[in-house]
Amino acid sequence: NGDMYLYYLLYLQLVDRYRVDIRYIDLNLLNTRWYPTWLQTKGILPVSYSPDELPKIIADKWVAQKVTVRNKNEKYNDTALVWNLPPTYGNKFLLRSDRIVLNLMQQNAFERDVFFAGDVPSNMRLFLDDYLQSRGLTYKVLTQIPPDNTFELELRLKKLLHISTDNKSYLNNRDNIQLLNNYRFAYTTAAFIASQNNKPQLALEFIESAERK
């Protein structure tokens, strides 16, 4: 979500050919006309809108209502994800980007896993908070309330290396600082989840790790 991620990830995929199996979508740019169209021509945006309809999608008046995303993936037990979606902007509207994301999820129907970056605000992830499982720096969308995964989080976060304090030149770049804060956010989120699951010692270890990063 944002240029700070977009161009780094595009470089990794287009130049280094790293994890080209992942489809990355910038939520902010979905509010433009050119970006969704470009994604659609590249086969990255599986929506039901035709090439003529997509540029005409605009913010629409919206009242809180239940919405459904069918599940076609056999690894999930539930037949669908159903949740209450309130307006995402000004208590009145569903933004163009949000309409596109909702349509994308409905067309995808869990055939591919869907993740949101950890720093995406609740309204931009369609208030799916109760169905998001923290994976460290991302949240994975599930069809049901996520089970306790603190052990998996612990293994994932242990792979992140500590940054040497000998050279602090990275602090001269605001993007670097924000990325580092996202790493700290991952640890504090893991600490919160651990405390909710009655694992105070593990929560403390996550907080101490965040302070060392």
Side-chain angles (χ1 to χ4, degrees):
N1 187 40
D3 292 350
M4 183 176 63
Y5 297 121
L6 176 63
Y7 296 111
Y8 290 147
L9 291 172
L10 284 177
Y11 182 91
L12 287 172
Q13 289 188 325
L14 299 178
V15 179
D16 291 346
R17 306 302 297 169
Y18 178 74
R19 291 307 304 267
V20 294
D21 57 308
I22 294 175
R23 297 175 178 178
Y24 172 77
I25 295 175
D26 187 308
L27 299 180
N28 284 317
L29 288 180
L30 287 179
N31 283 307
T32 67
R33 293 186 182 277
W34 69 268
Y35 182 66
T37 299
W38 179 77
L39 291 175
Q40 191 177 52
T41 59
K42 295 292 183 180
I44 300 175
L45 192 69
V47 291
S48 64
Y49 304 120
S50 70
D52 290 331
E53 294 172 331
L54 187 57
K56 299 175 184 177
I57 300 299
I58 60 174
D60 197 10
K61 287 188 177 180
W62 185 267
V63 294
Q65 57 189 276
K66 289 190 179 298
V67 294
T68 301
V69 174
R70 293 178 302 151
N71 171 37
K72 295 182 180 179
N73 193 327
E74 294 181 354
K75 72 179 181 181
Y76 297 117
N77 295 326
D78 298 278
T79 57
L81 167 60
V82 182
W83 79 103
N84 189 62
L85 177 59
T88 57
Y89 182 77
N91 295 320
K92 292 182 180 180
F93 299 98
L94 204 64
L95 292 179
R96 166 182 163 82
S97 58
D98 302 322
R99 292 182 62 190
I100 293 173
V101 170
L102 177 59
N103 188 277
L104 182 153
M105 292 184 60
Q106 290 172 329
Q107 295 303 306
N108 178 62
F110 288 96
E111 290 185 325
R112 292 176 64 100
D113 290 331
V114 175
F115 297 82
F116 289 96
D119 60 346
V120 171
S122 183
N123 62 311
M124 293 183 69
R125 57 192 189 211
L126 304 183
F127 298 104
L128 279 162
D129 305 53
D130 290 341
Y131 301 95
L132 298 179
Q133 183 183 61
S134 176
R135 306 300 290 268
L137 297 175
T138 62
Y139 286 104
K140 182 178 180 179
V141 182
L142 300 180
T143 59
Q144 57 188 356
I145 296 176
D148 176 17
N149 72 324
T150 48
F151 178 71
E152 180 185 7
L153 276 176
E154 184 179 13
L155 294 179
R156 283 174 171 267
L157 293 176
K158 280 182 177 179
K159 295 178 181 180
L160 299 179
L161 301 177
H162 292 283
I163 297 176
S164 173
T165 56
D166 297 333
N167 183 356
K168 296 185 178 181
S169 59
Y170 57 85
L171 295 176
N172 296 329
N173 186 302
R174 287 186 178 181
D175 287 351
N176 289 343
I177 294 174
Q178 185 170 339
L179 283 173
L180 290 174
N181 285 335
N182 287 344
Y183 278 90
R184 295 190 180 101
F185 173 79
Y187 282 95
T188 54
T189 299
F192 177 74
I193 294 173
S195 64
Q196 281 190 318
N197 288 283
N198 298 315
K199 298 176 181 177
Q201 183 57 42
L202 183 57
L204 179 60
E205 292 175 8
F206 282 137
I207 292 297
E208 291 175 342
S209 294
E211 291 177 348
R212 293 194 298 269
K213 292 295 180 180

